Amino acid sequence: MTCATMTWPLVLVLVLLCIRDSASLFLPDSSELRKLLSRYGEEAEQKGTSNTAGNRTRRAILWSDREEILQLHNKLRGGVYPTASNMEYMIWDDELERSATQWAEECQWDHGPQDLLMSIGQNLAVHWGRYRSPAFHVQSWYDEVKDYTYPYPHECNPWCPERCSGPMCTHYTQLVWATTNRVGCAVHVCPRMNVWGEIWENSVYLVCNYSPKGNWIGEAPYQHGRPCSQCPPSYGGGCRNNLCYKEIEDMNEVEKPQVPLPPRTTARPKTIAPKKPVSRPSSPKNPNPRTTYNCPANCVHKKGKVWGTVTYDVQSSICRAAIHHGVIDNNGGLIDISRMDKLPFFVRSTKNGIESLSKYKAGNAFTVARVKEMTADCYTTVAEICPYKEPNSHCPRVFCPENCKAQPSYWSPVIGNKIYTDNSSICKAAIHAGVIKPNGGFVDVLPLDKRKSYTGVLKNGIQSERYCSTGILEITIIPDNYV
């Protein structure tokens, strides 16, 4: 398909609107297609049926597909390489969805409508036969990155060169255009659609509209630099997963389906006698546990597989994921691993010599980060360097000096046993717990929520105190010769 060039007076920059089509040629009467048609084909039957008052307007795309499209967009945008300093968080836009719906229902394999293309960006995809989720096409748009070379600032004088070694890169550049922060998509089943001169029956047409539009000729899709270091002032310094993010109540990523309220009843509610509370042992709150791990050298050429980008499937090689994310290089080193809740999918990319795989199946996840280190004195406490915060806090790795055992308890108290108050001396508590020797060493600490009481015990030549406080810390054993 060719791209038409339009000349407009007084217009300094043109938007490049091109398309590369995603097509899968399979028999149109397959069971997968019948399943797909049952999902999206109902709209033809519903046309002409008026909605009753209070009912929601019929949508042209399933809520689960909208959520998957949006999550994948933000995951891919947050994981671009080289890193972006001004990449904005993307949200769903109902108006863009409506305009995408109107164009998808035209069943024309071309960009449109023309009067709208001057104000929005647009990506298209179509397939027939085997079922393809919308996320499959979003990933195929992003995969054009393999043919794209990012123009660094010194190459833009004043216009950036367009370097695409493949048939098309504009799907990728629109998807990762930093200032594009809204998307709306629609899926429509076209009974007969002309695709490159061939008639496709029951083809599934995906239209995604973007605003503000991207793909401006002579500009890079984003600015390179430390993530969130050049966000627009309107974001107030907010950052989420390497994306400029604004914490406001009405910034819904995807509109949640409304659940109808149960009808009111005038019957007297049934009286239920209160149950006697059951005493259960309390446990520290730590929803996203962190683990420090020491990676060996030469992991780049190992065979361990990696699934995901930025966030990784728990079946991935930890050290190869850390190299892929840029936390360490092939020489190895210490990394922090944080467990996460289950994610619906993982996307592939190639970074730092390691190619990760995609997995469109829900699974538990983890992230990797560099281990921060700091030198403490015998009086340093967790309350000073990393006080407890919900849901959890990450503390730097602390190096303790020698001779902290001899410091008076008035200046460096130790309160508790194994679990200590956050105003205890980190280094003396580590000696008390047997984590390090009196000659010092490295210590890992983990802030936890408060508990009711702390016991005092004589251990390793240090008498700890019994006390009640507002916070606790837990010492993780890291020998002084660990590194």
Side-chain angles (χ1 to χ4, degrees):
M1 176 179 178
T2 60
C3 301
T5 303
M6 302 177 61
T7 304
W8 293 82
L10 303 180
V11 176
L12 300 180
V13 185
L14 296 179
V15 62
L16 182 61
L17 296 171
C18 299
I19 181 166
R20 178 186 179 188
D21 311 312
S22 301
S24 303
L25 300 180
F26 293 90
L27 292 178
D29 59 347
S30 63
S31 59
E32 291 90 348
L33 181 60
R34 288 196 298 271
K35 177 182 177 181
L36 179 64
L37 295 178
S38 67
R39 298 174 69 200
Y40 291 108
E42 295 177 356
E43 61 181 353
E45 300 177 1
Q46 296 179 1
K47 280 190 175 181
T49 304
S50 60
N51 294 330
T52 58
N55 286 351
R56 303 179 63 204
T57 304
R58 177 181 56 82
R59 311 298 286 261
I61 188 170
L62 298 175
W63 176 84
S64 58
D65 287 339
R66 298 202 305 273
E67 184 179 40
E68 187 178 28
I69 288 173
L70 188 60
Q71 288 184 1
L72 184 54
H73 270 77
N74 282 318
K75 180 181 286 289
L76 295 172
R77 287 165 65 85
V80 294
Y81 184 83
T83 55
S85 62
N86 65 329
M87 188 71 72
E88 299 183 31
Y89 190 87
M90 188 171 281
I91 63 174
W92 192 267
D93 188 280
D94 289 342
E95 287 299 325
L96 291 174
E97 179 190 334
R98 277 190 280 271
S99 63
T101 301
Q102 293 172 359
W103 183 247
E105 291 176 347
E106 295 293 326
C107 292
Q108 295 185 31
W109 184 229
D110 197 359
H111 287 287
Q114 290 298 323
D115 59 343
L116 192 61
L117 292 180
M118 293 304 297
S119 58
I120 66 166
Q122 188 176 78
N123 280 349
L124 308 177
V126 64
H127 76 272
W128 68 318
R130 179 183 298 178
Y131 170 69
R132 291 282 187 263
S133 71
F136 171 86
H137 295 297
V138 175
Q139 181 67 54
S140 70
W141 295 336
Y142 180 85
D143 288 345
E144 293 175 1
V145 65
K146 68 181 184 299
D147 299 322
Y148 181 76
T149 302
Y150 178 84
Y152 287 91
H154 68 274
E155 301 174 281
C156 303
N157 188 25
W159 307 111
C160 299
E162 180 184 348
R163 293 185 297 186
C164 179
S165 59
M168 189 69 60
C169 296
T170 50
H171 294 105
Y172 164 74
T173 51
Q174 174 59 83
L175 195 153
V176 301
W177 202 267
T179 56
T180 299
N181 53 30
R182 294 179 180 271
V183 63
C185 304
V187 175
H188 183 71
V189 179
C190 297
R192 290 174 60 84
M193 187 171 182
N194 189 328
V195 181
W196 293 325
E198 297 182 359
I199 301 301
W200 288 13
E201 296 184 354
N202 294 326
S203 57
V204 182
Y205 193 18
L206 171 66
V207 179
C208 283
N209 288 345
Y210 299 87
S211 180
K213 64 182 178 181
N215 283 346
W216 291 98
I217 296 177
E219 296 185 15
Y222 57 85
Q223 299 179 34
H224 170 52
R226 180 171 55 84
C228 300
S229 61
Q230 300 186 62
C231 292
S234 59
Y235 285 90
C239 185
R240 178 175 179 179
N241 297 330
N242 298 332
L243 302 174
C244 304
Y245 184 76
K246 182 162 50 178
E247 294 282 356
I248 56 176
E249 293 182 358
D250 60 349
M251 190 174 178
N252 294 326
E253 300 163 20
V254 173
E255 183 183 1
K256 302 288 185 180
Q258 296 179 356
V259 179
L261 296 176
R264 293 186 177 181
T265 176
T266 56
R268 178 179 296 179
K270 183 179 179 180
T271 303
I272 302 176
K275 295 182 179 180
K276 183 178 180 180
V278 179
S279 176
R280 293 185 176 89
S282 60
S283 58
K285 299 178 181 178
N286 189 20
N288 295 313
R290 183 193 65 166
T291 304
T292 300
Y293 192 81
N294 190 19
C295 289
N298 301 320
C299 285
V300 169
H301 304 294
K302 300 298 181 181
K303 296 183 179 180
K305 294 183 178 180
V306 178
W307 287 272
T309 300
V310 181
T311 54
Y312 301 92
D313 183 80
V314 292
Q315 297 180 355
S316 302
S317 165
I318 294 174
C319 296
R320 283 173 56 81
I323 297 174
H324 180 270
H325 193 49
V327 173
I328 58 173
D329 55 23
N330 199 33
N331 294 322
L334 287 172
I335 60 173
D336 272 343
I337 307 165
S338 298
R339 294 291 298 269
M340 300 180 62
D341 294 333
K342 183 176 291 187
L343 297 180
F345 53 83
F346 301 87
V347 296
R348 69 174 182 263
S349 64
T350 300
K351 293 183 179 181
N352 304 313
I354 293 180
E355 181 178 2
S356 67
L357 306 174
S358 60
K359 178 185 287 187
Y360 293 99
K361 182 179 180 181
N364 293 324
F366 70 93
T367 60
V368 290
R370 290 184 177 89
V371 175
K372 297 180 180 179
E373 296 182 355
M374 66 167 292
T375 300
D377 55 32
C378 299
Y379 317 110
T380 303
T381 67
V382 167
E384 296 172 343
I385 63 172
C386 54
Y388 174 77
K389 296 179 181 179
E390 291 283 358
N392 64 341
S393 301
H394 281 194
C395 293
R397 197 164 186 250
V398 176
F399 181 79
C400 292
E402 58 183 355
N403 298 325
C404 286
K405 181 178 178 180
Q407 298 299 319
S409 298
Y410 179 80
W411 298 108
S412 54
V414 177
I415 305 169
N417 178 35
K418 296 184 179 179
I419 297 178
Y420 305 86
T421 61
D422 61 356
N423 60 347
S424 297
S425 164
I426 294 176
C427 297
K428 282 191 68 175
I431 298 173
H432 182 270
V435 174
I436 59 174
K437 302 294 184 181
N439 59 352
F442 282 100
V443 177
D444 281 343
V445 292
L446 176 64
L448 302 174
D449 203 356
K450 63 182 179 180
R451 62 185 308 173
K452 294 182 178 180
S453 62
Y454 304 86
T455 58
V457 177
L458 176 62
K459 288 172 60 176
N460 299 314
I462 296 177
Q463 175 66 54
S464 66
E465 303 176 36
R466 181 180 180 182
Y467 194 66
C468 293
S469 184
T470 58
I472 60 175
L473 68 89
E474 180 177 314
I475 302 296
T476 303
I477 298 179
I478 299 292
D480 57 355
N481 61 351
Y482 184 74
V483 179

